[in-house]
């Protein structure tokens, strides 16, 4: 906590809400749909933010599927290479009576509010700070996004050994405990290692995010602010557009670990209709055999074994 206080006093302009330029977070109008959808258009506004990490119910997502929204029933599609999926860290104001930290948090929210209030052109905006509570009120929380996967050229570039963790590494997605078919169909995408450090300055592996980053943890993050326009009609720009604001993480550090119990990532849901269809298309795989039975995910077969002949008992041998 003392290190954070010194940082705030020594570099106050580095935090969001001090001298942030509003125009730096605007994207120039363009009509190219593909470039607008998932392209970093602006990285000029880089700053520090602080916050207290929230749990899964409040927006934090560390699972293998990240923030991906999949359709149910017959519309379900497995996740494939190249999809943009992010981990989400949701933050709230810092609990306690520390006036300095509360002032930094309030400046962050105030600056984001001013940026959005000056945006009168889009018909709809998706906020970087809005999340609705159980009473239907919009709480002022921050959502920081981290790109989860990246496409690599060769399969050997995807590390499978969990002991070989280092900054900038790419891992095979199977290192995540909830990475299982048929939800995932990734052949080229690799799991990214971000510069996220715990309170002991140790790098946090992607499969350890839920264990190391507990709800209630006070964190310091280096982020960049972005906005992107999505036109309603990709062939007619005059039809209007929606604007999405994003805060993207670059580095993060735990200053004070939370005391709340660690949460297990929520598992991705696969509709029963798709799962049954997927099983039919898969070849039988031997899972386990015991006592003459061979079990696969499709059928159970019985291997008959010759029975031993009963020993003939001679009455004369009985006293």
């Amino acid at each position: 906590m003392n290190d954070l206080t010194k940082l705030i006093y020594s570099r106050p302009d580095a935090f969001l809400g001090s001298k942030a330029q509003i125009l730096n977070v605007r994207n120039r109008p363009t009509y190219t749909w593909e470039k607008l959808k998932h392209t970093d258009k602006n990285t000029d506004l880089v700053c520090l933010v602080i916050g207290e990490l929230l749990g899964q119910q409040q927006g934090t997502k560390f699972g293998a599927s990240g923030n991906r929204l999949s359709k149910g029933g017959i519309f379900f599609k497995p996740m494939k290479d190249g999809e943009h999926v992010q981990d989400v860290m949701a933050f709230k104001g810092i609990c306690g009576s520390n006036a300095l930290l509360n002032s930094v948090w309030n400046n962050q929210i105030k600056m984001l509010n001013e940026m959005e209030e000056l945006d009168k052109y889009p018909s709809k905006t998706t906020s970087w700070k809005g999340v609705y509570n159980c009473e239907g009120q919009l709480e002022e929380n921050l959502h920081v996004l981290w790109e989860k996967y990246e496409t690599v050229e060769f399969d050997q570039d995807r590390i499978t050994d969990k002991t070989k963790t280092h900054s900038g590494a790419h891992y095979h997605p199977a290192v995540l405990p909830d990475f299982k078919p048929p939800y995932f169909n990734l052949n080229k995408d690799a799991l990214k290692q971000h510069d996220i450090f715990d309170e002991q300055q140790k790098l946090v592996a992607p499969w350890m995010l839920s264990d190391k980053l507990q709800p209630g943890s006070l964190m310091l993050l280096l982020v960049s602010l972005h906005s992107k326009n999505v036109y309603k009609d990709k062939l007619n720009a005059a039809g209007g557009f929606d604007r999405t604001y994003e805060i993207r993480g670059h580095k993060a550090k735990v200053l004070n670990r939370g005391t709340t119990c660690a949460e297990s990532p929520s598992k991705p849901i696969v509709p029963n209709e798709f799962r049954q269809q997927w099983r039919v298309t898969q070849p039988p795989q031997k899972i386990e055999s015991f006592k003459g039975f061979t079990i696969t995910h499709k059928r159970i077969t019985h291997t008959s074994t010759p029975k031993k002949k009963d020993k003939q008992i001679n009455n004369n041998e009985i006293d």
Side-chain angles (χ1 to χ4, degrees):
M1 189 70 69
N2 293 332
D3 294 338
L4 176 60
T5 303
K6 293 179 181 178
L7 177 61
I8 295 174
Y9 279 118
S10 62
R11 298 186 59 188
D13 295 343
F15 286 83
L16 174 64
S18 55
K19 291 185 178 180
Q21 298 296 322
I22 295 178
L23 293 179
N24 286 341
V25 77
R26 297 290 179 265
N27 284 336
R28 292 184 178 181
T30 176
Y31 305 126
T32 307
W33 175 266
E34 290 78 9
K35 291 183 179 180
L36 282 169
K37 196 171 183 182
H38 292 295
T39 303
D40 293 355
K41 303 288 292 183
N42 218 319
T43 55
D44 292 335
L45 188 50
V46 178
C47 53
L48 296 174
V49 297
I50 60 173
E52 185 175 308
L53 187 66
L54 294 167
Q56 293 185 35
Q57 294 184 352
Q58 290 78 33
T60 296
K61 300 180 185 300
F62 289 143
S65 58
N67 61 349
R68 182 178 189 257
L69 297 176
S70 58
K71 296 181 180 180
I74 60 175
F75 301 101
F76 172 80
K77 293 183 179 180
M79 180 177 164
K80 297 183 179 180
D81 294 326
E83 292 192 33
H84 288 264
V85 177
Q86 295 91 15
D87 283 327
V88 182
M89 294 182 185
F91 295 94
K92 69 173 182 177
I94 299 149
C95 295
S97 57
N98 190 310
L100 179 62
L101 297 185
N102 291 333
S103 174
V104 173
W105 173 264
N106 292 334
N107 287 340
Q108 294 174 167
I109 298 298
K110 181 180 179 181
M111 190 66 193
L112 296 178
N113 284 334
E114 291 179 357
M115 290 177 178
E116 291 189 15
E117 288 175 359
L118 293 180
D119 252 346
K120 302 299 182 182
Y121 299 104
S123 57
K124 180 181 179 181
T125 60
T126 302
S127 176
W128 45 34
K129 61 177 180 56
V131 59
Y132 288 93
N133 57 23
C134 57
E135 298 177 355
Q137 299 175 345
L138 189 64
E139 295 182 346
E140 294 182 327
N141 298 337
L142 300 182
H143 286 195
V144 180
L145 306 180
W146 304 78
E147 199 68 29
K148 195 170 187 69
Y149 299 100
E150 189 173 51
T151 303
V152 296
E153 185 174 358
F154 303 104
D155 186 61
Q156 54 266 30
D157 295 335
R158 303 192 296 181
I159 301 173
T160 57
D161 189 352
K162 290 186 176 182
T163 61
K164 298 180 179 180
T165 58
H166 60 86
S167 180
H170 292 89
Y171 307 99
H172 195 288
V175 298
L176 297 175
D178 54 336
F179 182 86
K180 296 178 181 180
Y183 189 95
F184 300 95
N185 184 20
L186 303 182
N187 301 312
K188 292 289 186 178
D189 276 7
L191 186 65
K192 296 180 65 175
Q193 173 67 66
H194 292 287
D195 290 336
I196 301 175
F197 300 90
D198 61 13
E199 70 278 10
Q200 299 177 353
Q201 302 289 342
K202 293 182 179 180
L203 193 66
V204 180
W207 54 88
M208 294 296 294
L209 290 175
S210 297
D211 295 331
K212 295 292 186 178
L213 307 183
Q214 300 173 207
S217 298
L218 176 63
M219 298 186 65
L220 173 69
L221 301 95
L222 177 66
V223 302
S224 58
L225 305 185
H226 302 262
S227 65
K228 59 185 180 183
N229 304 334
V230 180
Y231 286 86
K232 297 181 178 181
D233 186 353
K234 59 183 179 181
L235 301 178
N236 181 18
F241 62 90
D242 296 336
R243 174 164 288 161
T244 299
Y245 299 97
E246 292 180 350
I247 303 178
R248 298 175 187 168
H250 298 278
K251 293 184 179 180
K253 176 184 176 183
V254 177
L255 302 176
N256 187 18
R257 190 172 182 177
T259 57
T260 307
C261 296
E263 299 177 320
S264 300
S266 56
K267 297 180 180 180
I269 300 175
V270 180
N272 293 331
E273 300 87 345
F274 183 86
R275 187 183 297 276
Q276 293 174 1
Q277 183 181 3
W278 173 79
R279 287 178 176 176
V280 172
T281 60
Q282 299 301 305
Q285 297 178 0
K286 186 176 180 180
I287 299 177
E288 186 180 4
S289 62
F290 62 97
K291 291 184 180 181
F293 287 88
T294 299
I295 300 178
T296 69
H297 68 272
K298 280 188 173 183
R299 58 182 178 271
I300 301 178
T301 58
H302 177 260
T303 305
S304 60
T305 55
K307 295 182 179 180
K308 294 182 180 180
K309 292 184 179 180
D310 295 332
K311 182 178 180 181
Q312 298 293 331
I313 301 178
N314 191 340
N315 292 334
N316 297 329
E317 296 179 358
I318 303 178
D319 295 335

